[in-house]
Amino acid sequence: MFSAKRLAAGAVVATATAATVFAGSGVAQADVPVWEANCHVYNIFNTGGMANCELPTWHQVKLTCVAWPVPFTYWKYGPAQYGQNQSWASCDSFNALVRVEVIQA
């Protein structure tokens, strides 16, 4: 049979473990969809673009670029960023930017 000291020690360890799990989890704020996060996009000299959001969400900039002399369209994506961090990207040539938008990462 287990002694009272062993049972008490086991209860203390179990309580401390549970308290650590609850304390470590904290209260997380839910991410907001990118269309509700007050995101801003910026055209940089008609060659690149930048995006950032005011509220907590994962986002990235998406550029639509055109290549010359044979016109075809392609897309460039910036790195995925969180909240107010900036996501940057640029087209391969000067004056090739057609559209800048922010998308959910």
Side-chain angles (χ1 to χ4, degrees):
M1 271 197 102
F2 290 112
S3 69
K5 287 183 181 179
R6 283 187 179 176
L7 288 175
V12 168
V13 170
T15 304
T17 304
T20 304
V21 169
F22 286 122
S25 64
V27 177
Q29 185 174 5
D31 287 354
V32 179
V34 74
W35 54 88
E36 294 178 2
N38 296 333
C39 297
H40 307 280
V41 293
Y42 302 95
N43 181 333
I44 315 280
F45 300 115
N46 209 28
T47 302
M50 186 265 298
N52 68 334
C53 297
E54 293 179 13
L55 299 176
T57 188
W58 283 99
H59 67 278
Q60 69 186 130
V61 67
K62 176 184 174 186
L63 305 181
T64 304
C65 306
V66 64
W68 299 101
V70 179
F72 69 91
T73 329
Y74 63 97
W75 297 272
K76 293 282 228 156
Y77 297 88
Q81 297 291 340
Y82 189 75
Q84 295 181 354
N85 294 326
Q86 300 172 344
S87 178
W88 288 79
S90 62
C91 296
D92 294 329
S93 62
F94 181 70
N95 211 17
L97 184 64
V98 176
R99 183 176 179 194
V100 181
E101 58 186 307
V102 63
I103 60 173
Q104 194 84 42

